[in-house]
Amino acid sequence: MQDPNELVEILQTAISPVVLVSGIGLLILSMTNRFGRTTDRLRSLIKQINQANYDHTERIAAQIRILYWRSRLLLLAISFALASVLFVSLLVVTLFSIYLLGLGLEGVVVGLFIISLMCLVTSVLLFIQDMSLSLKALREELRGLL
């Protein structure tokens, strides 16, 4: 049997990435909520465009284009965040494999961590772009009122 102190050390090492998964999970929850609201609003505008007069039709069409683009961005952001979770999970499995099997996979650990962070950064950048488009859609909606 292996040294219990070594097991405690590997468990501590493996728990850090799990905390990252928890944080990314909250980000994914926020993004999926925004995605749901965006698609619901999009469906509502599609119903409205059929009943609107010509002046309103162009404004609604502009909002629809923006909301559709936001939905695509959010889907991409969610996909990158989920990929980040996948790579962190593979990182944990690799850490345990190193410990249990004595494999020399330290380079794989570093690679998985870098890929995971790059996916997370990409996801956050897409999320920021969605928030910017959200303001643009609001501006479009208010254009006729201001």
Side-chain angles (χ1 to χ4, degrees), residues 32 67 74 92 104:
T32 54
L67 286 169
L74 284 166
V92 171

Side-chain angles (χ1 to χ4, degrees), residues 65-124:
R65 285 189 294 275
I66 293 169
L67 286 169
Y68 180 72
W69 181 241
R70 282 186 59 205
S71 297
R72 291 178 55 120
L73 278 176
L74 284 166
L75 183 61
L76 199 54
I78 292 166
S79 298
F80 273 103
L82 289 171
S84 182
V85 170
L86 172 67
F87 288 117
V88 169
S89 300
L90 290 172
L91 173 66
V92 171
V93 170
T94 305
L95 286 170
F96 276 110
S97 297
I98 289 171
Y99 173 72
L100 293 174
L101 305 174
L103 301 174
L105 299 173
E106 289 79 11
V108 174
V109 168
V110 171
L112 288 171
F113 186 70
I114 290 171
I115 292 170
S116 174
L117 287 183
M118 293 304 292
C119 287
L120 181 59
V121 167
T122 303
S123 175
V124 170

